[in-house]
Amino acid sequence: MMNIVLLGPPGAGKGTQAQRLVNGRGMLQLSTGDMLREAVASGTPVGLKAKAVMEAGELVSDAIVSALIGERLDSAGDAGVIFDGFPRTRAQAEALDLLLAERGRSLDHVVEICVEEDALVERITGRFSCASCGTGYHDRFKQPRQEGVCDVCSSTDFCRRPDDNEQTVRTRLAEYRRKTEPILPYYNERTLVRRVDGMRSVDEVAARIDAVLDSSELVRGA
Ligand code: ADP
Ligand code: ADP
Ligand code: ZN
């Protein structure tokens, strides 16, 4: 049971790579962004608090997102977990360590996906997803095999996130540099960080992440 964090700026490819790990390895993806969007869509108290903050591209409070992760971890069973978009602050990183320790888990890797700023803006402004199953696509980089039809579930409904516009992206990137990047030293002290070049194709990034995860399996098996 391996537990990993996918760290990287908005649009780096965290969700795309997490989906591949879920399909390929049966891991469980815990995305605070997805959880918050569900809360907004169903109008829960958390959703009501988070909506405007998310639309502005700012960060939702540490207490809210840490509580969401704690709830989901309780039903994770034996599956290895991919933390996607969490933690995003030093306080969240500390909360995660506590939540894991309480459940007899710990982090194996923090995979940092590095992508240049111009590429991030292009990835985010072209992003869309299946409204029915959530599979992610891109106008230029990952179109459905048949135009207008989801590869996975054949739905013809797609959606774009309200915060995926150029102006909000700039705020989200600034939040990342100011609040999320400072987590790296916290994990580096424990030699958990594995840097992956996220400028490559989806398949090449996936191969590099696989290499990270498989190398540690060898060490453990020895
Ligand atoms: P992206 O995939 O572009 O990185 P996410 O879907 O992870 O974006 O997050 C969308 C928004 O949800 C963020 O801009 C932020 O407002 C909120 N959010 C998601 N995860 C967190 C978190 N761990 N801490 C605070 N806010 C979060
Ligand atoms: P994040 O979860 O980090 O915000 P996503 O996985 O949603 O990022 O990816 C953002 C957009 O970029 C999506 O439209 C996705 O299809 C596309 N994308 C992801 N990885 C790559 C890549 N390596 N090369 C080109 N486009 C990519
Ligand atoms: Zn679909």
Side-chain angles (χ1 to χ4, degrees):
M1 173 175 79
M2 196 177 316
N3 302 297
I4 69 169
V5 169
L6 291 184
L7 197 68
K14 303 180 296 294
T16 301
Q17 297 299 332
Q19 274 182 7
R20 296 184 64 113
L21 293 171
V22 168
N23 296 334
R25 297 180 185 246
M27 296 177 79
L28 177 73
Q29 174 188 11
L30 294 187
S31 157
T32 41
D34 287 346
M35 294 174 201
L36 289 167
R37 278 184 290 279
E38 279 164 26
V40 169
S42 45
T44 65
V46 163
L48 294 177
K49 272 193 198 156
K51 187 169 189 283
V53 179
M54 293 172 75
E55 274 169 7
E58 289 161 11
L59 292 189
V60 174
S61 81
D62 293 331
I64 287 183
V65 292
S66 302
L68 287 173
I69 288 285
E71 285 164 24
R72 295 295 173 99
L73 266 182
D74 286 329
S75 47
D78 288 340
V81 176
I82 308 156
F83 297 95
D84 163 11
F86 178 90
R88 267 174 151 96
T89 65
R90 172 75 184 239
Q92 290 177 26
E94 289 171 4
L96 177 58
D97 281 336
L98 210 64
L99 288 168
L100 288 170
E102 286 167 357
R103 290 159 181 83
R105 292 177 181 259
S106 62
L107 287 179
D108 297 275
H109 306 285
V110 174
V111 178
E112 184 194 7
I113 307 180
C114 303
V115 176
E116 287 162 19
E117 186 138 339
D118 290 344
L120 292 172
V121 174
E122 189 179 20
R123 285 188 191 180
I124 286 184
T125 51
R127 167 162 66 185
F128 64 98
S129 61
C130 173
S132 175
C133 75
T135 297
Y137 295 98
H138 192 279
D139 291 327
R140 267 190 66 195
F141 306 125
K142 192 188 172 228
Q143 294 186 356
R145 282 191 293 271
Q146 187 187 337
E147 199 189 330
V149 182
C150 175
D151 294 348
V152 176
C153 76
S154 302
S155 165
T156 53
D157 284 339
F158 295 88
C159 53
R160 286 177 197 264
R161 285 167 43 179
D163 58 340
D164 276 351
N165 58 76
E166 176 147 6
Q167 205 209 317
T168 308
V169 167
R170 300 284 173 196
T171 309
R172 285 156 64 198
L173 284 170
E175 289 280 86
Y176 182 80
R177 306 274 178 240
R178 198 160 70 87
K179 296 178 181 162
T180 307
E181 268 183 355
I183 304 176
L184 283 164
Y186 178 74
Y187 285 135
N188 251 327
E189 268 171 30
R190 286 142 65 192
T191 63
L192 285 174
V193 182
R194 326 280 178 238
R195 293 194 84 185
V196 169
D197 179 3
M199 293 295 287
R200 296 170 180 275
S201 71
V202 171
D203 288 343
E204 285 170 316
V205 176
R208 280 165 174 74
I209 294 176
D210 280 340
V212 166
L213 303 196
D214 292 337
S215 69
S216 65
E217 301 260 276
L218 285 177
V219 173
R220 294 158 158 220

